[in-house]
Amino acid sequence: MVYENGALDATLAAAAGDNSVLLGELRGAFLESAEKLLDLLKRSRCDGNWNVAAHRLKGLAASFHAQDLLEAAENALASAPGEPTAIRKIEAVLARFNANVPGRF
């Protein structure tokens, strides 16, 4: 999967306009939300909790046009609760997003 941040960046830029501070805050809020949802997925052991967390992650990704994250969330929805490969795919996508954010490690 190739990281394509153009749609995500365009969505954030459309919301923030020329305000670089707001752009950074929006990007940070997106990543923080995604990381919290990943944490919920990691702690989910039943179908209900897993599906709720995966659907929320998918919705977040769709809202921000983050296609790689959307696909990873769809993969999680098709997987059993706690499936390590589904979690690793989401972690990899978020690591790529984090790598492209100034000031984040």
Side-chain angles (χ1 to χ4, degrees):
M1 187 180 323
V2 175
Y3 174 65
E4 170 54 62
N5 66 344
L8 173 63
D9 287 340
T11 301
L12 294 173
D18 291 335
N19 188 333
S20 61
V21 173
L22 180 56
L23 180 63
E25 288 175 1
L26 288 172
R27 182 179 286 281
F30 167 78
L31 289 168
E32 182 179 338
S33 294
E35 288 165 354
K36 285 181 180 179
L37 291 169
L38 173 60
D39 181 59
L40 285 175
L41 273 174
K42 288 179 176 180
R43 292 185 287 120
S44 296
R45 295 296 175 253
C46 70
D47 290 345
N49 291 340
W50 178 266
N51 287 332
V52 166
H55 273 288
R56 287 181 181 171
L57 187 62
K58 181 180 175 182
L60 177 70
S63 296
F64 284 87
H65 303 284
Q67 187 63 34
D68 286 352
L69 186 58
L70 181 100
E71 291 171 6
E74 287 176 340
N75 179 63
L77 282 167
S79 302
E83 174 59 43
T85 57
I87 291 170
R88 281 194 298 268
K89 285 181 183 182
I90 295 167
E91 288 173 332
V93 170
L94 293 181
R96 289 192 301 270
F97 284 145
N98 276 318
N100 288 295
V101 177
R104 289 203 58 146
F105 301 100

